[in-house]
Amino acid sequence: MQPFIDQIISECEILQGLPLWFSYLIFQLIFCGIIFVFVAVFAMLAGYAERRVAGRIQSRIGPNRVGPQGILQSLADGIKVFLKEDIIPTHADHILFRLAPYFIFIGMFLSFVAIPFSSQWVIADLDIGIFYLLAVESLVVIGIVMSGWASNNKWSLLGGMRSAAQIVSYEVPVALTILLVVMYSGTMSIQGIIMAQGAAPWNWNIFQTPFLFVAFFPLFMGSLAEGNRMPFDMPEAESELVSGYNTEYSGFRFVIFFFAEFSNLYLIGALATVLFFGGWQAGPLPDFVNGLLGIETPLSAAIVKNLVELCVFMFKSLCLVFIVIQLRWTLPRVRVDQLMNICWKYLVPVAFFNLVVMGIWMVVVPEYVTDIVALCMTACGVLLLGYFFYRVAWQLKNTKARLRFNPLS
Amino acid sequence: MDTYLPILIMFVIAGGFAGAFLLLSYLLGPKKPTDSKLSVYECGLNPVGSARERFSVKYYLVAILFIVFDIEVVFMYPWAVNYKNAIKDGHGAYMIAVMGVFFVMLVLGLFYEWRKGAMNWSNQA
């Protein structure tokens, strides 16, 4: 952020009159506000998109009444919830009951501070960025346990405890996988990890070595579990626990839990994009766009460059978000003992094995072999993707289903 | 300090908005409490006892496992950050050997916990 703010200040004469710390503070405030609004809008739209996708998958329509194609549905829900009664059960622990949503809300927003949306648009580029993310996400667990305990409801207690056990368990494979990426990039700064990759797919971390490719899966499953997403949404297993830790919550307090769940959806996509899919790296695209628009001044050139990178980052992360939404409506929920088995008996040993072999690989294998392997793996990845689309086309052709790709119908 | 200031700003913004929204919803919403509305939800029946009961010790076991493993993983991060540079300087084998000792103990611990059944969630397995 610092270089970008410096550039704006050097261009604007009004700002040069003000003290430097004051302009910094103002800009930091503005950018934090932008992120806040972005997350709020994303959570609302994701809630809408999820219901529409669910509708498509289950052969029904989904919300389509409020606004054009129902796009304002989440807004209407939000306004409705403001007008609901604020209920706190008599036997609940009042202080903890009121405090829990704050932990979840703040923990969620603090993680977004470290997400780099482009080469310069990151609010805090910390040297220990990835560590910070792991730490801040743990705040959410505290909020969940707190709400489960404070409600003084058996469903809430079970849901909160299950959720804590789940999030805490899957933290181990996630941390081990991030360790692998840190090892390969040689830095813990999120921008550094992105910078160590490139714009082309064969420069992405996921295709660098077979071990990094394997490591993607523990990370992805772990972040699904930490976000309480299907197939790991044990804490809210409706058929068993009513609604889990938020059973007793109503009105706006409930919306905060809901809100955190959907902003976490973006965090899952963003984290995977940063670690494995090259983040905002856009290669020669920004220069090309700048040339196309004929932009001369350095400030507007920088803005266009950042915008292009932002689009690349958004595209990648939103693709992953879409996959996560689809997974929710495709896979059945796992049982709680299966959940723990998957984590401790499969993901953790796989992550450990990966770490050892990766360490040896980095010492033993010379650089040119790594390049060849990266190219081969990219080719395999492209082939797999091509095969997937071929299968989809084959299904559509041979099952006589008509492809009516009209998301707005 | 400059890099950490935005975190504080975000903390204040998020906390402030959450508080403001909760206050707003408190002011706008109706306030008609009744006894049954304020009782805990137990599928529509009168609640039986309190939720302040004993619950399974398995949760504590998982928490202990987490603390052990997470601290060990955190311990490995400084090593991982320096690993690439150390390989460039030609100390790769040394780095592997040093971490290998720690790692063998870690994996033995994992194996021990596995054999002890600390990772079995259901009782019959």
Side-chain angles (χ1 to χ4, degrees), chain A residues 85 90 149 154 248 345 359, chain B residues 37 41 48 52 83 120:
Chain A
E85 187 173 350
T90 329
W149 172 257
K154 284 148 204 152
E248 286 301 336
K345 295 190 179 170
Chain B
K37 200 190 265 175
Y41 177 76
V48 179
R52 302 274 182 263
Y83 192 62
N120 292 333

Side-chain angles (χ1 to χ4, degrees), chain B residues 42-104:
Chain B
E42 221 162 280
C43 306
L45 303 173
N46 287 333
V48 179
S50 144
R52 302 274 182 263
E53 289 201 31
R54 293 188 293 176
F55 51 90
S56 176
V57 73
K58 282 179 260 181
Y59 295 104
Y60 289 103
L61 207 57
V62 167
I64 291 170
L65 278 185
F66 161 73
I67 288 176
V68 170
F69 275 95
D70 217 41
I71 288 175
E72 281 164 347
V73 170
V74 166
F75 178 68
M76 284 155 85
Y77 268 87
W79 171 81
V81 174
N82 293 318
Y83 192 62
K84 208 175 184 184
N85 285 329
I87 292 175
K88 270 188 202 140
D89 299 344
H91 301 309
Y94 172 74
M95 289 289 272
I96 284 202
V98 168
M99 194 37 88
V101 175
F102 178 70
F103 212 81
V104 166

Side-chain angles (χ1 to χ4, degrees), chain A residues 312-379:
Chain A
V312 169
F313 186 79
M314 282 291 165
F315 176 73
K316 289 175 184 169
S317 45
L318 291 181
C319 279
L320 283 164
V321 166
F322 184 65
I323 292 175
V324 174
I325 290 180
Q326 270 199 322
L327 276 182
R328 172 161 179 191
W329 302 100
T330 312
L331 299 174
R333 181 183 295 137
V334 296
R335 249 182 10 234
V336 69
D337 60 317
Q338 291 169 337
L339 180 92
M340 289 298 167
N341 270 354
I342 291 170
C343 177
W344 289 105
K345 295 190 179 170
Y346 294 92
L347 295 186
V348 172
V350 163
F352 270 135
F353 176 76
N354 251 330
L355 198 65
V356 176
V357 186
M358 179 82 184
I360 296 171
W361 170 283
M362 278 174 72
V363 174
V364 173
V365 176
E367 201 141 306
Y368 65 93
V369 179
T370 317
D371 291 344
I372 296 168
V373 168
L375 280 177
C376 291
M377 288 197 51
T378 316

Side-chain angles (χ1 to χ4, degrees), chain A residues 2 24-25 28-29 32-33 35-36 81-93 98 101-102 105-106 109-110 112-113 123-128 130-132 134 139 148-155 157-158 161-162 164-169 171-172 174-179 182-188 196 242 247-248 251-253 256 336-338 340-341 344-346 348-349 352-353 355-356 358-363, chain B residues 2-35 37-43 46-56 58-70 72-85 87-88 91-96 99 103 106-107 110 113-114 117-125:
Chain A
Q2 202 89 348
Y24 276 141
L25 192 69
Q28 300 281 25
L29 264 172
C32 282
I35 291 291
F36 186 86
V81 131
F82 266 118
L83 304 173
K84 290 287 172 192
E85 187 173 350
D86 188 23
I87 301 171
I88 300 177
T90 329
H91 297 291
D93 187 325
R98 288 168 190 274
Y102 286 95
F105 202 70
I106 291 172
F109 277 103
L110 284 187
F112 277 89
V113 170
I123 289 187
D125 179 22
L126 307 173
D127 295 337
I128 49 154
I130 212 78
F131 228 47
Y132 166 82
L134 280 177
L139 272 181
W149 172 257
S151 298
N152 198 3
N153 176 325
K154 284 148 204 152
W155 306 124
L157 181 69
L158 282 174
M161 284 298 157
R162 269 191 189 182
Q166 169 185 332
I167 296 177
V168 139
S169 297
E171 187 98 29
V172 177
V174 167
L176 275 168
T177 311
I178 292 176
L179 189 72
V182 168
M183 225 162 103
Y184 194 74
S185 322
T187 174
M188 275 202 276
V242 186
T247 304
E248 286 301 336
F252 200 78
R253 270 181 240 279
I256 285 181
V336 69
D337 60 317
Q338 291 169 337
M340 289 298 167
N341 270 354
W344 289 105
K345 295 190 179 170
Y346 294 92
V348 172
F352 270 135
F353 176 76
L355 198 65
V356 176
M358 179 82 184
I360 296 171
W361 170 283
M362 278 174 72
V363 174
Chain B
D2 274 359
T3 30
Y4 289 90
L5 184 69
I7 297 172
L8 187 70
I9 294 175
M10 194 53 141
F11 187 90
V12 173
I13 289 182
F17 266 97
F21 283 150
L22 284 174
L23 186 71
L24 196 65
S25 99
Y26 174 77
L27 293 177
L28 288 177
K31 287 168 219 49
K32 294 184 199 105
T34 63
D35 271 356
K37 200 190 265 175
L38 292 181
S39 73
V40 295
Y41 177 76
E42 221 162 280
C43 306
N46 287 333
V48 179
S50 144
R52 302 274 182 263
E53 289 201 31
R54 293 188 293 176
F55 51 90
S56 176
K58 282 179 260 181
Y59 295 104
Y60 289 103
L61 207 57
V62 167
I64 291 170
L65 278 185
F66 161 73
I67 288 176
V68 170
F69 275 95
D70 217 41
E72 281 164 347
V73 170
V74 166
F75 178 68
M76 284 155 85
Y77 268 87
W79 171 81
V81 174
N82 293 318
Y83 192 62
K84 208 175 184 184
N85 285 329
I87 292 175
K88 270 188 202 140
H91 301 309
Y94 172 74
M95 289 289 272
I96 284 202
M99 194 37 88
F103 212 81
L106 192 60
V107 171
L110 182 75
E113 279 153 15
W114 195 327
M119 293 167 188
N120 292 333
W121 191 262
S122 55
N123 292 326
Q124 60 265 31

Side-chain angles (χ1 to χ4, degrees), chain A residues 24 53 83 114 123 125 138 141 152 164 222 289 292 300 310 389-390:
Chain A
Y24 276 141
V53 170
L83 304 173
I123 289 187
D125 179 22
S138 307
V141 192
N152 198 3
V289 174
L292 211 62
S300 15
L310 177 75
F389 283 115
Y390 167 76

Side-chain angles (χ1 to χ4, degrees), chain A residues 32-49:
Chain A
C32 282
I34 291 174
I35 291 291
F36 186 86
V37 171
F38 163 73
V39 177
V41 171
F42 175 82
M44 264 165 42
L45 287 181
Y48 164 73

